[in-house]
Amino acid sequence: MDLTVAPNPFFWSADAVRSFYATLSDAPVARVVLGELVCSKRLPFWQDEIPLAVDSLQAGGKQVALTSLALITLRRERKLTADLLGLGLPVEVNDLSALHHIPQGVPFWVGPLVNVYNEGTLRWLARRGATRICLPPELPMASVAVLAEVAQAEGVALEVWGHGRLPLAISGRCYHARLHERAKDSCQFVCEQDPDGRDVDTLEGQRFLTVNGVQTLSQAYACMADHAVALRDMGISALRLQPQSAGFDALCADYAHLLAGDLSAQALVENLGAAHPDMQFCDGFGRDSAGATWRGHAVPV
Amino acid sequence: MELVCPAGTPAALRAAVDAGAHCIYCGFADETNARNFPGLNFSRSELAQAVGYAHARGAKVLVAINTFPTAGKETLWHSAVADAETAGADAVILADLGLLAHTAERHPDLRRHLSVQAAAANPDAINFYAQAFDVRRVVLPRVLSVEEIAAINREIDVETEVFVFGGLCVMAEGRCSLSSYATGRSPNMNGVCSPPEHVDYATEGTDSVARLGGFTIHRTPKGGVAPYPTLCKGCFTSGDKTGHVFEDAVSLDASKLVPKLAKAGVTALKIEGRQRSRAYVAQIVRAFRAVTDALEDGRDPPALALARLSEGQAATTGAYAKTWR
């Protein structure tokens, strides 16, 4: 079992992107998916960093793939998706319309925003060319176990969401713009103010969700450390870690130590808690429970 | 234009047919459909009878099998497709890739519609489903403007169906795990959103509070009644802002846009609400049938007085009028 770094869903400056991927080149992760996942309007501000990041990650021995957008609607977004194929790297499909541009037989990856819930879907994707699939985070463990067997038979590497705010929903509406009383087309890129998303609490102050442009995430950070051994035993081949603005290199190192068996899940959680005192955790989807729960308990206020 | 109307019960189906529905959609009473509510939906024999009733009156029946089959339990969904065909359904409405592939292979003569739960939001997605699985109609996600729908229709060869009235998902359908994050049960897996067994109403002081999975979704002061805690319609706080962060408590009413939707090349108009009463269904169907009939005859469609039937008493044209842009 190894580690895959998810595409960064947030809007960071070009400088922040450059330094993040430069550091990541030395991290103990096997592969990195990058590119704009959430909003095509952000891309012009940082797209020049992508080839630099690819070069430095590949020089660091990482396998690199490029993600499609999560929700493709506009003409230029469709062209962007078609153009991804010409770049010589595997494409990670996070909106199924990307498949329209991928010829039969060309290998591709499937991200967690594509609905792979059952054997029929997994087999169909495998025969269409999928070589690596990250399952949707809400999938119960019983389903993960069934799909792990099918994936092995089909020769597909299967990944499970390992760490990071859970991608819960995608919309045509931009919530960052809405919170700033702006329309989507005149958003003035306010999502750049929130490098880990903007928190949304209940009226009673319960920490609940995080908005990131058109995306809604959990406010708690999923942490599947407790489940890593069980997932490996099922045949899951990688845990997926989502970028965050602080402490990501230490986090990658800790997860690598966890997989190598020289750091316990408990110690990993304690390290994370010490480095990020405000970070809330959840692992309910790994326990067939509400996703927001952590180690069998409701998330505290 | 074809009017596609909801039926949660055989009585609602008959009411919709009698009120002039061209087409009725319904589902089996299990987790194979996205309105898996207690007391709703059809047994196998009820469906066969309903198809008979509708066909005798010139109406069609579409069966929604539009959740994502559970790993290890796919046969439940496979038998739903087979039973819909046996009952004489005019089409099945599907969302899952694996189930589409199964149906195209094993039931090639059963017409396939793509559910809104598949969230096919552009011509490439629609052409992909059309080519891979011979899908004949696609129900468009509620994230598109009328102009975008017109542009899509220029690039595809399959029919499009759009929602014009009823509950409004503000998220891309079939791609939302908000409900399972709070409760463990989701539209994709269980056919439910914000399910009632995880709802708790409380009175605290003079406030009425509605919680979902322990999270406060509404808090209504001074003796008011908190609305049902549908997660994305809730009132939350973010920084210095408090309010409906995702969507106001409104429902969709695109009745005034029907002529524009027709010009945009839309084949069918869909009304949400399999969970609603047969009286509600009959009233909405009659009102929209007057609109489609006027359109057929080249008359101006009548203005509809549907406001009091809208959820939350306020209506929106959603993404269609491009106000989100």
Side-chain angles (χ1 to χ4, degrees):
Chain A
M1 200 181 206
D2 53 25
L3 298 171
T4 299
V5 176
N8 169 35
F10 305 108
F11 187 23
W12 294 354
S13 69
D15 286 348
V17 169
R18 189 178 313 154
S19 111
F20 179 84
Y21 287 107
T23 307
L24 194 61
S25 303
D26 300 323
V29 301
R31 66 194 68 74
V32 177
V33 185
L34 78 170
E36 183 55 55
L37 177 71
V38 171
C39 179
S40 62
K41 288 176 64 180
R42 298 168 175 175
L43 197 52
F45 293 92
W46 73 279
Q47 63 187 1
D48 292 347
E49 299 300 322
I50 294 176
L52 304 176
V54 169
D55 285 349
S56 99
L57 290 165
Q58 286 180 333
K62 316 286 183 266
Q63 198 179 4
V64 181
L66 297 172
T67 184
S68 78
L69 285 164
L71 182 65
I72 299 165
T73 54
L74 306 175
R75 184 171 289 275
R76 68 178 158 78
E77 293 171 344
R78 292 163 60 202
K79 182 167 186 315
L80 213 69
T81 310
D83 291 349
L84 276 180
L85 262 169
L87 300 177
L89 292 168
V91 170
E92 175 162 295
V93 173
N94 271 301
D95 177 319
L96 273 177
S97 58
L99 274 189
H100 185 69
H101 305 287
I102 301 178
Q104 175 76 39
V106 172
F108 59 91
W109 299 3
V110 176
L113 303 184
V114 171
N115 288 331
V116 182
Y117 281 79
N118 52 64
E119 310 91 296
T121 296
L122 196 155
R123 280 197 196 97
W124 191 88
L125 286 167
R127 287 161 198 186
R128 182 66 174 70
T131 55
R132 174 169 290 276
I133 296 176
C134 180
L135 295 174
E138 77 164 4
L139 215 58
M141 285 301 227
S143 294
V144 175
V146 171
L147 294 178
E149 276 188 35
V150 177
Q152 280 172 326
E154 296 285 339
V156 172
L158 212 57
E159 298 185 3
V160 164
W161 192 266
H163 181 95
R165 290 181 153 168
L166 293 159
L168 296 176
I170 192 92
S171 173
R173 165 174 276 190
C174 176
Y175 302 114
H176 253 100
R178 182 168 156 87
L179 278 164
H180 287 262
E181 289 159 31
R182 290 173 189 164
K184 190 172 168 186
D185 285 349
S186 51
C187 67
Q188 297 171 46
F189 306 98
V190 286
C191 57
E192 193 176 17
Q193 297 170 10
D194 302 301
D196 295 290
R198 177 168 167 159
D199 291 348
V200 174
D201 301 330
T202 71
L203 293 181
E204 290 167 4
Q206 299 160 294
R207 297 168 63 185
F208 191 20
L209 302 168
T210 293
V211 297
N212 169 39
V214 296
Q215 187 186 38
T216 304
L217 304 124
S218 64
Q219 192 174 138
Y221 286 73
C223 171
M224 293 292 276
D226 287 349
H227 311 275
V229 171
L231 290 166
R232 187 190 59 203
D233 291 349
M234 282 177 197
I236 296 301
S237 70
L239 284 185
R240 182 167 282 225
L241 313 177
Q242 179 168 266
Q244 57 193 48
S245 66
F248 193 67
D249 45 346
L251 185 153
C252 290
D254 276 2
Y255 274 95
H257 285 305
L258 174 80
L259 298 190
D262 47 25
L263 185 73
S264 70
Q266 183 58 32
L268 181 145
V269 170
E270 284 168 11
N271 287 353
L272 276 175
H276 309 278
D278 287 338
M279 192 180 269
Q280 259 184 323
F281 301 110
C282 66
D283 71 342
F285 287 142
R287 299 179 192 272
D288 298 348
S289 176
T293 59
W294 170 236
R295 293 183 159 174
H297 301 289
V299 176
V301 175
Chain B
M1 265 186 145
E2 192 172 288
L3 204 52
V4 182
C5 306
T9 61
L13 181 138
R14 292 191 297 271
V17 171
D18 295 347
H22 303 111
C23 222
I24 294 93
Y25 68 102
C26 56
F28 290 122
D30 57 33
E31 62 208 80
T32 62
N33 83 89
R35 287 288 183 281
N36 178 25
F37 300 154
L40 272 199
N41 299 317
F42 289 61
S43 70
R44 270 47 178 177
S45 65
E46 284 171 341
L47 181 67
Q49 284 171 19
V51 170
Y53 188 89
H55 284 180
R57 289 157 185 80
K60 293 177 192 157
V61 176
L62 316 177
V63 180
I65 307 171
N66 59 345
T67 49
F68 294 83
T70 306
K73 298 178 185 169
E74 285 179 309
T75 48
L76 180 66
W77 280 261
H78 293 172
S79 64
V81 171
D83 294 345
E85 185 170 46
T86 304
D90 296 279
V92 285
I93 309 171
L94 310 175
D96 181 65
L97 274 182
L99 192 60
L100 280 158
H102 169 90
T103 306
E105 188 187 321
R106 305 286 183 84
H107 307 275
D109 300 331
L110 181 58
R111 186 178 157 101
R112 292 172 286 288
H113 291 186
L114 190 69
S115 170
V116 71
Q117 297 300 117
N122 68 58
D124 296 336
I126 295 164
N127 286 330
F128 157 68
Y129 283 105
Q131 284 158 18
F133 310 114
D134 196 18
V135 161
R136 309 290 294 280
R137 178 185 293 181
V138 54
V139 185
L140 294 176
R142 285 165 269 197
V143 298
L144 300 166
S145 69
V146 174
E147 290 81 354
E148 285 165 346
I149 291 169
I152 285 173
N153 273 319
R154 285 193 290 271
E155 288 190 57
I156 63 173
D157 292 326
V158 299
E159 300 169 357
T160 51
E161 178 174 310
V162 301
F163 280 93
V164 286
F165 198 83
L168 177 72
C169 274
V170 66
M171 304 301 179
E173 290 99 330
R175 308 188 67 186
C176 178
S177 307
L178 289 172
S179 178
S180 53
Y181 183 66
T183 73
R185 303 190 77 212
S186 75
N188 284 3
M189 295 190 296
N190 313 99
V192 294
C193 175
S194 309
E197 69 272 22
H198 291 274
V199 169
D200 178 45
Y201 287 103
T203 306
E204 295 173 5
T206 57
D207 289 3
S208 156
V209 183
R211 296 193 175 91
L212 181 74
F215 292 102
T216 299
I217 307 299
H218 294 289
R219 187 171 192 107
T220 307
K222 292 181 189 146
V225 178
Y228 189 87
T230 302
L231 204 160
C232 61
K233 310 284 170 61
C235 192
F236 303 108
T237 294
S238 179
D240 57 352
K241 290 277 196 311
T242 291
H244 296 95
V245 169
F246 302 103
E247 178 59 285
D248 302 323
V250 293
S251 67
L252 177 68
D253 179 1
S255 53
K256 291 194 179 78
L257 297 176
V258 169
K260 281 188 181 164
L261 290 166
K263 273 197 197 118
V266 168
T267 300
L269 305 174
K270 184 163 210 157
I271 296 165
E272 185 275 347
R274 282 190 279 150
Q275 71 283 17
R276 305 300 290 261
S277 72
R278 65 181 170 177
Y280 168 94
V281 168
Q283 203 170 345
I284 298 287
V285 172
R286 265 195 297 274
F288 272 93
R289 181 63 192 259
V291 172
T292 56
D293 281 352
L295 216 58
E296 295 286 316
D297 301 345
R299 290 179 281 122
D300 285 338
L304 304 187
L306 297 173
R308 67 195 175 79
L309 292 171
S310 294
E311 217 174 328
Q313 309 294 312
T316 173
T317 51
Y320 295 134
K322 248 186 161 179
T323 49
W324 291 354
R325 281 279 157 75

